[in-house]
């Protein structure tokens, strides 16, 4: 079993806790499904949020999905002029037999424009 990293991002329409839970939950669910993962496959998950998001911690959405015994951390994304607003990014470290080239990185909605090179 190898250690792999999975990337993902989603843009929120508004800064509201319920909306963040919904959109981050959808992102995590898509990452898990597309990579055929269970919570047991997760080693740790990093979340970053742009400085305009402060209604809740993105990691709270993971806990609501039942990801309760995995180390999670949230951080603020750099405040770069012209950057896409209201974005939550994910970097998940996983155990997987998949080759690195077969890892599905998930960028939902408008966030797909952030990484056209790896967005699935």
């Amino acid at each position: 079993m190898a250690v792999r990293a999975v990337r993902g991002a989603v843009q929120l329409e508004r800064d509201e806790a319920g909306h963040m839970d919904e959109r981050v939950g959808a992102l995590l669910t898509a990452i898990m499904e597309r990579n055929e993962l269970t919570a047991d496959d997760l080693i740790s998950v990093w979340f970053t949020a742009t400085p305009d998001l402060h209604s809740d911690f993105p990691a709270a959405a993971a806990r609501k999905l039942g990801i309760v015994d995995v180390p999670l951390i949230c951080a603020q994304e750099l405040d770069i002029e012209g950057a896409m607003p209201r974005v939550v990014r994910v970097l998940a470290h996983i155990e997987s037999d998949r080759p690195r080239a077969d890892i599905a990185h998930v960028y939902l909605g408008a966030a797909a424009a952030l990484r056209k090179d790896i967005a699935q």
Side-chain angles (χ1 to χ4, degrees):
M1 191 80 56
V3 174
R4 301 285 184 228
V6 183
R7 291 288 318 266
V10 63
Q11 184 181 39
L12 279 62
E13 295 173 18
R14 58 194 175 280
D15 184 24
E16 294 174 1
H19 182 61
M20 182 178 291
D21 281 346
E22 175 187 314
R23 299 303 296 143
V24 174
L27 174 62
L28 291 171
T29 299
I31 287 171
M32 301 287 282
E33 288 176 355
R34 293 182 194 179
N35 289 287
E36 299 177 346
L37 300 171
T38 67
D40 287 339
D41 299 318
L42 297 172
I43 297 169
S44 64
V45 183
W46 282 79
F47 297 89
T48 64
T50 51
D52 52 2
L53 294 175
H54 39 74
S55 62
D56 202 358
F57 294 99
R63 298 291 184 223
K64 289 176 183 171
L65 289 177
I67 302 171
V68 295
D69 62 350
V70 175
L72 307 175
I73 193 164
C74 298
Q76 188 174 81
E77 196 66 41
L78 293 173
D79 191 8
I80 304 298
E81 188 174 324
M84 184 180 287
R86 300 177 316 282
V87 174
V88 173
R89 291 173 173 84
V90 173
L91 174 62
H93 299 96
I94 64 169
E95 292 180 319
S96 176
D97 288 327
R98 287 177 179 237
R100 186 176 291 149
D102 291 345
I103 297 296
H105 304 282
V106 180
Y107 290 77
L108 298 180
L114 295 171
R115 289 298 305 267
K116 293 178 185 178
D117 57 326
I118 63 171
Q120 308 275 324

